Amino acid sequence: MIVQPITDSREIALRIKDMNEHLVCTLCDGYFREAHTIMECLHTFCKVCLYDYLLTRDDRVGTQRKSDCPTCHTLLINAEPMKNHVRFDRTKQNIVDLIVPHFKEDYANEKNRASASRKTSARPTAEAPPPKKMRTEGQKAPKLYLTYELRPNPEKKPGERKELKALVKPWLRTSPKLTVKHLKKYLAMKLELDNFEEVELTCQGEVLGTDHTLEFIKKTRWHGKSNLKLHYRWKCR
């Protein structure tokens, strides 16, 4: 049976919960934030959620990285799946913004607060800092991104294998929830290593555990005011 389109001025009411399956990211169970769609299968996720998911995939085909869709597991074989297989889905994001406009405003305010916080901390000033009573815990904007440096270990040990090459772009900006394991997999992809377990990361000369997050490392291992600096090297045997 063919359903004819509505062409008059009638208004139709839809319950949001009936639309949720088309507007909610299955990785975070929240409404889309910067909706991105995988072109091969047309499944959609939040940009940050999909990026974090693809970064955890470790399967490789030769020198290329093999990832998959979180929903249907369609294979995405490419060195940079976010660049070659994924596109920003403006249509779906516009639908989310129209149906739940307060969500768009809250997300925009959150990003603005985080951006303003980063600019303020990075810019030196001679003005006196505001009283502490004005900066309550509830007013702190969550850190959406963390900027840090990732370079090869400057000190080569006797008998150590050939020094690992430097990254073309050593400055990175990612989620502070990223773990050392994620970074090791990223290095294996960029340096074309067979196994990410061959490398280890250090901070201030201390080897970091694979489950340590950047946020944890920044708080417990890095006591300077400058950006976090990490080094990588061949794993000691």
Side-chain angles (χ1 to χ4, degrees):
M1 182 178 67
I2 299 176
V3 179
Q4 296 297 328
I6 297 173
T7 57
D8 55 28
S9 59
R10 279 180 294 170
E11 294 184 358
I12 298 178
L14 295 175
R15 294 180 300 180
I16 293 182
K17 70 176 185 178
D18 294 334
M19 300 289 293
N20 278 350
E21 65 175 300
H22 306 291
L23 308 175
V24 172
C25 171
T26 56
L27 292 175
C28 68
D29 292 327
Y31 289 111
F32 292 135
R33 295 189 177 199
E34 298 182 82
H36 275 62
T37 295
I38 298 175
M39 303 308 294
E40 276 77 358
C41 58
L42 301 181
H43 287 121
T44 307
F45 311 89
C46 299
K47 179 182 179 180
V48 173
C49 295
L50 185 57
Y51 179 82
D52 288 345
Y53 173 84
L54 294 176
L55 202 59
T56 64
R57 313 305 288 169
D58 185 51
D59 298 330
R60 300 174 69 84
V61 177
T63 59
Q64 290 186 314
R65 182 174 184 152
K66 182 177 75 173
S67 302
D68 59 8
C69 169
T71 299
C72 65
H73 303 294
T74 296
L75 291 181
L76 313 173
I77 302 179
N78 200 284
E80 298 183 68
M82 283 295 290
K83 180 179 179 180
N84 297 282
H85 296 282
V86 180
R87 296 291 183 272
F88 174 57
D89 198 325
R90 187 177 302 279
T91 301
K92 285 189 178 180
Q93 190 59 57
N94 285 343
I95 294 174
V96 172
D97 295 342
L98 287 172
I99 294 179
V100 281
H102 64 279
F103 176 78
K104 176 184 178 181
E105 295 173 2
D106 292 344
Y107 183 49
N109 291 336
E110 183 179 283
K111 291 181 68 176
N112 290 335
R113 287 195 300 268
S115 177
S117 177
R118 287 194 301 271
K119 290 179 180 178
T120 302
S121 60
R123 185 174 61 248
T125 175
E127 298 178 1
K132 289 187 177 180
K133 64 180 181 180
M134 295 178 61
R135 301 186 63 176
T136 62
E137 188 66 23
Q139 292 176 325
K140 289 185 178 179
K143 289 188 176 181
L144 299 177
Y145 302 101
L146 179 68
T147 302
Y148 53 98
E149 196 174 357
L150 188 59
R151 295 186 181 276
N153 189 40
E155 300 178 2
K156 189 174 184 297
K157 296 182 179 180
E160 189 177 6
R161 298 161 64 179
K162 184 179 178 181
E163 183 179 353
L164 290 166
K165 62 182 180 181
L167 295 172
V168 177
K169 298 180 179 179
W171 286 96
L172 303 175
R173 184 169 175 262
T174 64
S175 165
K177 302 298 182 183
L178 215 66
T179 66
V180 170
K181 186 176 182 179
H182 291 151
L183 289 177
K184 290 170 67 174
K185 290 180 178 180
Y186 173 78
L187 285 169
M189 178 184 69
K190 289 297 185 181
L191 303 180
E192 299 184 356
L193 305 179
D194 294 330
N195 187 355
F196 73 90
E197 293 289 1
E198 292 182 309
V199 294
E200 61 185 8
L201 268 65
T202 65
C203 180
Q204 307 279 38
E206 179 182 349
V207 177
L208 301 172
T210 56
D211 294 329
H212 288 172
T213 64
L214 292 172
E215 186 177 39
F216 176 79
I217 297 168
K218 176 82 172 177
K219 290 180 179 178
T220 61
R221 304 294 192 278
W222 191 258
H223 304 297
K225 294 183 178 180
S226 58
N227 287 319
L228 177 65
K229 181 182 290 187
L230 302 177
H231 292 101
Y232 56 88
R233 66 188 184 192
W234 293 111
K235 189 172 184 178
C236 298
R237 296 181 179 180

